[in-house]
């Protein structure tokens, strides 16, 4: 009888212990994104442990720091028809650590842009992605992650599709998270808990004060969750779990505050060796508030020199959103093997119907397929924290060979994470985020390939009487497609190519943007540690702005040298 339920080990905790394949987009019950139990403990069938979702089991450590100098030429950007050239000097590190009790992936780069004309300013920026996990004891680990990127700030401002040069409405974004995860089995019962601290900041430089969402500033966030449960086939023929947690984010644009407290009970009822009915119910209280902006004599909110609203710290808190009451969902879970899992749920949450689901398939150790349907109410900083928490430590970060920026999607052997919707508009308001993302990644026969498609809709939640009242209840939409390919031609040379397409509609103002582009790079080793690089890129975007309509084609090229230590 127990063998029949072996593939459902830990599924009673599935709604509380977010699986990595869906964690970054929301799960069947996405309120406790860090998860309650150690996935490796919670998903251990009778025929041996399931593969870890954080990274590969092989032991190896590769750390490769480098310095680089490039010469870049481009035309068409910022309305210019002449060819513009500049030089970049960069230093970075690519690292992969896979030890018995520690896994980490790091791809980080600092770059200084040196220009030769008055239209393009000198600048420096940091881009990179990192994920790590250290196992302190059996079932006890500390996880961390970080993102540094250049993000479009204002949805109603400029919309560059190519970040060569120093385009308008682009600012530096930083986000980090860290915290412990505990998952312990005792007497057939799994006890789990997790805490996540997150910090996110968008720098002041580059903000376009055009019409749009109030730009995000900085925030701190906290998420704590705990659960206890038992898998099917233990003391009972069904699986069960009881859990809850608390999330809070402070910051944003107008001293925003997001709070979410929840508790629920979940059950897993196997109906065959590979199919189970799942469901849960509980209570949740969400409250979002903000302060008003300082206003002039005519009641118009005051904006500072960098395009941000000036917060009135003496004003009372204004209620932006409140939802308090019963939540529930039911669904089906299909797990024919440890490498394949499908879950779909429907329920009531956030005052309306809610649909979530996930599909993961790993046909072999070098190929992964994932689909996630998500629905969550969150803030900008919390969303970034949860995306980073879903990033696998064995990720491959594809970078733009012309700018060095890390691509908007990263892929691992068993999971992937995309940041497209996050980087389209750094919103200072909380929102309800709904959408779907699909990813495919493979590393076979010398080819590394990644493909991601997605749709996201954010409905903004602001106070009716506040400075952001004009966007309350409005929604923006983002569609994206990204493809990445790399190939080692021989022992000394390799090629890479990136393609993307994106459509963004801010919803509340004219500012629709369609962008499409491609770039390719060739790398050749010419001496010990010294590589030469050549790259070409073409980009096109069409925008309908409140102040102007424009379309633009940009072509760019790069020649560079990199020395790896």
């Amino acid at each position: 009888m127990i063998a029949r339920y072996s593939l459902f080990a830990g599924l009673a905790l599935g709604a509380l212990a977010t699986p990595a394949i869906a964690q970054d987009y929301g799960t069947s019950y996405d309120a406790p994104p860090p998860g309650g139990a150690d996935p490796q403990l919670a998903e251990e069938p009778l025929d041996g442990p399931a593969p870890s979702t954080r990274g590969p089991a092989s032991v190896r450590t590769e750390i490769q720091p480098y310095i680089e100098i490039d010469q870049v030429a481009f035309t068409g950007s910022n309305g210019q028809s002449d060819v513009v050239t500049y030089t970049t000097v960069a230093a970075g590190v690519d690292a992969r650590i896979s030890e018995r009790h520690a896994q980490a992936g790091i791809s980080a780069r600092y770059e200084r842009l040196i220009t030769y004309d008055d239209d393009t300013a000198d600048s420096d920026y940091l881009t990179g992605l990192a994920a790590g996990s250290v196992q302190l004891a059996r079932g006890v680990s500390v996880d961390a992650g970080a993102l540094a990127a250049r993000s479009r700030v204002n949805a109603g401002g400029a919309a560059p599709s190519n970040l060569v040069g120093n385009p308008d409405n682009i600012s530096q974004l930083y986000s980090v998270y860290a915290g412990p995860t505990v998952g312990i089995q005792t007497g057939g019962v799994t006890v789990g808990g997790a805490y996540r601290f997150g910090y996110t900041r968008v720098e002041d430089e580059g903000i376009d004060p055009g019409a749009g969402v109030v730009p995000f500033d900085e925030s701190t966030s906290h998420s704590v969750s705990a659960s206890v449960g038992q898998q099917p086939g233990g003391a009972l023929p069904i699986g069960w779990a009881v859990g809850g947690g608390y999330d809070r984010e402070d910051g944003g644009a107008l001293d925003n505050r997001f709070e979410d407290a929840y508790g629920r009970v979940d059950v897993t009822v196997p109906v065959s060796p590979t199919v189970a009915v799942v469901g849960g119910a509980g209570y949740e209280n969400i409250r979002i508030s903000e302060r008003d902006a300082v206003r002039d004599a005519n009641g118009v909110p005051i904006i500072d020199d960098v395009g941000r609203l000036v917060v009135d710290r003496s004003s009372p808190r204004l209620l932006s959103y409140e939802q308090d009451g019963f939540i529930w969902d039911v669904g089906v879970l299909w797990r024919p093997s440890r490498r394949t899992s499908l879950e779909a749920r429907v329920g009531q949450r956030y005052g309306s119907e809610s649909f979530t689901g996930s599909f993961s398939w790993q046909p072999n150790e070098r190929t992964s397929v994932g689909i996630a349907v998500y629905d969550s109410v969150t803030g900008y900083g919390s969303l970034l924290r949860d995306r980073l928490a879903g990033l696998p430590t064995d990720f491959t970060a594809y970078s733009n060979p012309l700018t060095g920026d890390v691509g908007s999607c990263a892929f691992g052997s068993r999971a992937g994470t995309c940041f497209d919707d996050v980087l389209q508009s750094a919103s200072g308001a909380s929102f309800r985020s709904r959408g779907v993302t699909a990813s495919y990644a493979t590393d076979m026969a010398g080819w590394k390939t990644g493909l991601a498609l997605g749709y996201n809709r954010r409905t903004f939640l602001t106070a009716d009487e506040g400075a952001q009242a004009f966007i309350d209840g409005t929604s923006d939409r983002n569609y994206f497609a990204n493809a990445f390919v790399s190939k080692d031609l021989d022992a000394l040379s390799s090629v890479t190519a990136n393609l993307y397409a994106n459509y963004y509609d801010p919803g509340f103002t004219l500012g629709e943007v369609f962008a499409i582009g491609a770039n390719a790079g060739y790398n050749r080793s010419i001496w010990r540690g010294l590589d030469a690089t050549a790259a070409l890129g073409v980009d096109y975007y069409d925008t309908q702005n409140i102040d102007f309509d424009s379309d633009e084609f940009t072509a760019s090229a790069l020649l560079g040298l990199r020395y790896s230590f």
Side-chain angles (χ1 to χ4, degrees):
M1 193 68 171
I2 296 178
R4 177 184 178 185
Y5 302 141
S6 63
L7 289 173
F8 295 112
L11 296 186
L13 296 175
L16 299 168
T18 53
I21 191 69
Q23 186 176 34
D24 47 313
Y25 306 114
T27 63
S28 53
Y29 180 68
D30 53 8
D38 184 330
Q40 191 165 4
L41 290 176
E43 298 183 7
E44 186 171 310
L46 298 182
D47 55 350
S52 169
T53 57
R54 292 296 294 176
S58 59
V59 177
R60 62 188 177 98
T61 297
E62 300 173 1
I63 301 177
Q64 188 174 74
Y66 65 86
I67 56 176
E68 182 175 317
I69 183 169
D70 302 311
Q71 188 69 25
V72 182
F74 67 94
T75 181
S77 182
N78 297 326
Q80 301 170 350
S81 58
D82 297 333
V83 175
V84 177
T85 62
Y86 62 88
T87 300
T88 62
V89 179
V93 61
D94 292 316
R96 181 77 66 241
I97 300 172
S98 181
E99 305 290 343
R100 178 175 176 81
H101 297 294
Q103 297 84 39
I106 301 171
S107 180
R109 175 186 176 95
Y110 166 81
E111 184 167 306
R112 175 68 180 177
L113 187 150
I114 305 169
T115 64
Y116 310 111
D117 64 88
D118 296 333
D119 294 327
T120 306
D122 290 0
S123 61
D124 57 279
Y125 49 88
L126 177 68
T127 60
L129 199 57
S133 179
V134 177
Q135 185 177 359
L136 304 180
R138 180 169 174 79
V140 181
S141 66
V142 174
D143 306 315
L147 169 70
R150 290 190 290 173
S151 169
R152 185 179 184 224
V153 180
N154 196 325
S161 60
N162 189 337
L163 300 187
V164 294
N166 199 358
D168 295 331
N169 200 30
I170 297 294
S171 188
Q172 181 77 60
L173 163 71
Y174 304 98
S175 186
V176 297
Y177 95 94
T181 299
V182 178
I184 300 173
Q185 289 186 338
T186 175
V189 175
T190 300
V191 180
Y195 168 73
R196 297 287 182 264
F197 168 79
Y199 174 77
T200 299
R201 176 175 176 79
V202 174
E203 296 287 359
D204 292 339
E205 293 81 6
I207 295 178
D208 185 343
V213 176
V214 177
F216 181 86
D217 184 5
E218 66 176 351
S219 76
T220 58
S221 62
H222 305 266
S223 177
V224 59
S225 61
S227 62
V228 57
Q230 193 171 45
Q231 67 188 39
L236 298 172
I238 65 171
W240 60 272
V242 179
Y246 175 75
D247 289 87
R248 174 165 173 163
E249 180 179 358
D250 293 277
L254 291 170
D255 193 19
N256 301 72
R257 178 176 296 166
F258 169 86
E259 293 181 282
D260 180 6
Y262 56 87
R264 60 179 281 147
V265 177
D266 281 88
V267 295
T268 301
V269 183
V271 296
S272 79
T274 60
V275 178
V277 175
V278 294
Y283 169 84
E284 183 174 35
N285 178 272
I286 301 176
R287 183 180 176 87
I288 304 172
S289 62
E290 64 186 63
R291 296 191 189 278
D292 199 4
V294 176
R295 299 176 181 266
D296 61 19
N298 297 318
V300 178
I302 295 176
I303 298 176
D304 63 18
D305 294 338
V306 298
R308 299 190 190 278
L309 288 171
V310 179
V311 182
D312 185 357
R313 302 289 179 180
S314 64
S315 71
R317 287 208 160 269
L318 307 176
L319 185 63
S320 305
Y321 175 84
E322 186 173 30
Q323 188 66 44
D324 181 11
F326 181 71
I327 57 174
W328 63 269
D329 58 62
V330 295
V332 62
L333 191 145
W334 176 59
R335 180 173 288 180
S337 71
R338 288 178 295 161
R339 295 182 179 274
T340 305
S341 179
L342 171 67
E343 181 176 7
R345 295 200 182 206
V346 58
Q348 189 80 12
R349 196 179 178 195
Y350 311 127
S352 65
E353 292 77 15
S354 178
F355 303 90
T356 58
S358 64
F359 171 74
S360 64
W361 178 44
Q362 189 184 358
N364 54 62
E365 292 184 355
R366 293 181 173 271
T367 304
S368 64
V369 178
I371 301 174
V373 179
Y374 55 92
D375 184 1
S376 64
V377 169
T378 185
Y380 187 77
S382 297
L383 178 62
L384 269 170
R385 180 200 66 209
D386 297 342
R387 292 284 173 88
L388 286 171
L391 182 67
T393 58
D394 66 337
F395 70 86
T396 297
Y398 296 88
S399 61
N400 185 324
L402 292 155
T403 66
D405 290 282
V406 174
S408 57
C409 293
F411 300 93
S413 60
R414 300 180 181 92
T417 300
C418 288
F419 299 92
D420 288 80
D421 58 320
V422 179
L423 300 179
Q424 273 293 330
S425 171
S427 166
S430 296
F431 46 83
R432 182 175 180 178
S433 178
R434 287 172 282 186
V436 58
T437 300
S439 65
Y440 166 82
T442 183
D443 181 1
M444 299 181 68
W447 288 92
K448 292 184 178 180
T449 304
L451 175 65
L453 307 170
Y455 163 77
N456 174 264
R457 175 178 177 176
R458 298 186 302 180
T459 301
F460 296 102
L461 308 170
T462 63
D464 292 337
E465 62 273 31
Q468 301 180 96
F470 68 100
I471 66 169
D472 183 42
T474 63
S475 301
D476 67 359
R477 295 175 295 150
N478 182 53
Y479 302 83
F480 68 88
N482 296 294
F484 315 92
V485 179
S486 68
K487 168 69 173 176
D488 292 331
L489 300 179
D490 52 45
L492 298 178
S493 59
S494 63
V495 292
T496 61
N498 305 315
L499 297 91
Y500 72 89
N502 188 284
Y503 172 78
Y504 176 73
D505 178 6
F508 53 85
T509 182
L510 287 175
E512 298 178 29
V513 179
F514 171 73
I516 188 170
N519 54 67
Y522 172 77
N523 184 80
R524 177 76 179 182
S525 177
I526 57 178
W527 193 63
R528 299 176 181 175
L530 183 63
D531 295 346
T533 301
L536 295 173
V538 290
D539 301 88
Y540 170 82
Y541 78 88
D542 182 6
T543 180
Q544 299 177 2
N545 195 279
I546 193 171
D547 297 319
F548 60 88
D549 293 345
S550 69
D551 61 325
E552 191 163 273
F553 174 85
T554 302
S556 48
L558 172 147
L559 290 175
L561 292 173
R562 171 185 289 195
Y563 181 75
S564 301
F565 298 93

